[in-house]
Amino acid sequence: MERIISADSHVSVQHDQVKANLARTHHEAYDAAVAEFYRWFLGGGFGSAAAANRSGLDIYNRALGRPGNSDPKARLADMDADGIDTEVMYCELSAYRYLYMVEDGAEPATRAFNDTLHQFASECPERLVVNYQIPINDIDEAVSEVARVAAMGGRSLQLPVFPREVGMPDYHDERYDRLWAAVQETDLPLCFHIGLNTAVDDIARRDPTPRLGLTVPCIPPTTTEALGMWLLTGVLERFPELKLVFVEPGLGWVAWYLYFVDDMVRYQGYEYPAIKELPSHYYARNVNLTFIKEPDAIDHLRHRLGTANLLWSTDYPHPVTSWPHSQDVIAEQFRSVSAEDRALMLCGNAQRVWGI
């Protein structure tokens, strides 16, 4: 039977579960940090627009609310029903947005959060691959947590897509070099899942459509900023063995972007002094992209994007998820794809990236 790995699925964790792994002396500070995050989130832009437009939170979804969202046994049953062998999962809580604000307790709160994810995956660690979140506001703590995660058998690390949203400089800043060195030593991938982006806050406030229908498709292309910060600024020159995964970015624009920045170097006289090769070189060597249903890109752009750089996913349990019809979706989307390329995108690439 064909082995299928979803490179992007989700798991729900509740604050009470995290606090059960956290000393009581830190509970008040943890709650205060969570409250501060929600005040920011609901105070403007995407968050306030979603709160004002409740229909945006009530989209019909065949998988949302199932026990498999939070119970590992139920999740494995849902995976079996869908013919999925292994899932790489991202927590619905972007904890790095508030963990660093836990006064006198950011480090133990981070450990408690990641321990909660680890407990979920421990039901069947060979099939449930969770992303451990690494707050970046204290580099010493970040390096320590990367080492701890690796030591307990973790396979994947998640960082903010845009560090400026947690008050930190962009990832080319040399203050991160010790972190990148530590990550490179573990051979664990760094994963960047698109989501709330303050760059589209103004669009969200002005969006006249139900469910923020105008805003949502504006979010994936903003990943050009994040991708460029990695490809063009020399980080991958200094740390050539890093493995990056951009999660749910969309594919079509990436092919255009790589052509455009290469053309800027070749024919337009632009210079990127921190890199020695064309930008597309670092993409091909270091970057992976997940996708759900993007048949045009798979049919016409996969060779430009590199079949070795593409990872299929179910996005369980979000509205676009292919669950429980993933087998039909795969058959339709890959009907013109060779068996070799199909095996790479459905399984082989994920095995390489996550050491599965």
Side-chain angles (χ1 to χ4, degrees):
M1 181 177 178
E2 181 180 36
R3 186 179 189 187
I4 299 174
I5 299 172
S6 170
D8 171 28
S9 300
H10 296 270
V11 59
S12 179
V13 163
Q14 303 302 312
H15 293 297
D16 285 346
Q17 293 175 276
V18 178
K19 288 161 67 177
N21 291 317
L22 182 65
R24 281 188 171 275
T25 54
H26 299 300
H27 285 196
E28 185 176 348
Y30 180 92
D31 291 340
V34 171
E36 178 61 28
F37 164 71
Y38 282 114
R39 276 193 293 272
W40 167 81
F41 175 63
L42 297 176
F46 196 98
S48 62
N53 182 355
R54 295 296 299 182
S55 65
L57 306 178
D58 297 328
I59 302 172
Y60 168 74
N61 181 356
R62 65 181 73 88
L64 192 64
R66 291 184 60 80
N69 286 310
S70 55
D71 178 80
K73 288 186 174 65
R75 180 55 157 270
L76 290 166
D78 278 355
M79 291 164 60
D80 289 341
D82 204 26
I84 305 300
D85 180 83
T86 304
E87 286 189 337
V88 179
M89 291 174 290
Y90 300 82
C91 186
E92 302 284 15
L93 283 176
S94 296
Y96 46 68
R97 291 180 180 270
Y98 66 83
L99 288 173
Y100 73 95
M101 295 190 292
V102 179
E103 189 173 353
D104 298 323
E107 188 171 7
T110 297
R111 290 197 300 265
F113 178 83
N114 284 333
D115 285 348
T116 305
L117 290 173
H118 191 71
Q119 288 160 0
F120 180 93
S122 65
E123 178 67 29
C124 190
E126 65 272 18
R127 296 185 65 192
L128 304 175
V129 178
V130 296
N131 268 271
Y132 298 88
Q133 294 189 16
I134 308 298
I136 58 174
N137 298 73
D138 185 311
I139 299 302
D140 287 338
E141 291 183 8
V143 170
S144 175
E145 186 62 3
V146 167
R148 192 182 77 94
V149 165
M152 64 186 187
R155 295 185 182 182
S156 198
L157 307 171
Q158 184 180 2
L159 270 65
V161 181
F162 303 102
R164 62 184 174 78
E165 294 190 358
V166 293
M168 294 294 286
D170 291 305
Y171 288 136
H172 61 80
D173 193 291
E174 291 185 357
R175 74 179 63 197
Y176 297 107
D177 281 5
R178 288 190 300 112
L179 178 57
W180 307 148
V183 172
Q184 186 170 255
E185 182 68 22
T186 67
D187 197 36
L188 299 179
L190 290 171
C191 300
F192 304 92
H193 196 297
I194 68 162
L196 306 179
N197 183 349
T198 56
V200 299
D201 279 358
D202 183 59
I203 300 173
R205 281 188 287 267
R206 295 182 288 113
D207 191 341
T209 66
R211 300 176 179 173
L212 299 178
L214 185 152
T215 306
V216 169
C218 293
I219 294 173
T222 67
T223 313
T224 51
E225 174 191 338
L227 182 60
M229 289 293 181
W230 283 97
L231 295 184
L232 308 177
T233 63
V235 184
L236 299 176
E237 192 73 60
R238 302 196 302 274
F239 301 96
E241 296 176 22
L242 286 177
K243 295 185 291 189
L244 311 182
V245 182
F246 284 90
V247 186
E248 284 189 46
L251 298 182
W253 67 265
V254 180
W256 167 84
Y257 177 81
L258 294 174
Y259 168 81
F260 192 87
V261 290
D262 277 4
D263 189 74
M264 289 172 66
V265 174
R266 282 172 165 158
Y267 304 115
Q268 299 182 41
Y270 284 84
E271 296 181 357
Y272 299 107
I275 59 178
K276 299 176 182 177
E277 306 287 347
L278 288 172
S280 60
H281 167 82
Y282 303 95
Y283 162 82
R285 188 187 67 189
N286 298 92
V287 177
N288 304 272
L289 310 171
T290 79
F291 66 99
I292 307 164
K293 288 178 287 189
E294 209 165 333
D296 287 345
I298 296 306
D299 283 346
H300 306 299
L301 296 175
R302 71 179 185 275
H303 299 298
R304 170 65 176 155
L305 293 169
T307 52
N309 302 74
L310 303 179
L311 305 153
W312 180 82
S313 65
T314 69
D315 202 28
Y316 176 107
H318 289 174
V320 74
T321 183
S322 56
W323 186 92
H325 306 298
S326 292
Q327 301 303 314
D328 294 336
V329 170
I330 288 170
E332 174 64 22
Q333 182 163 211
F334 289 85
R335 67 183 186 279
S336 63
V337 176
S338 70
E340 180 181 5
D341 284 355
R342 172 187 171 115
L344 282 175
M345 290 184 280
L346 292 177
C347 180
N349 294 335
Q351 287 180 303
R352 169 182 52 82
V353 170
W354 284 286
I356 297 172

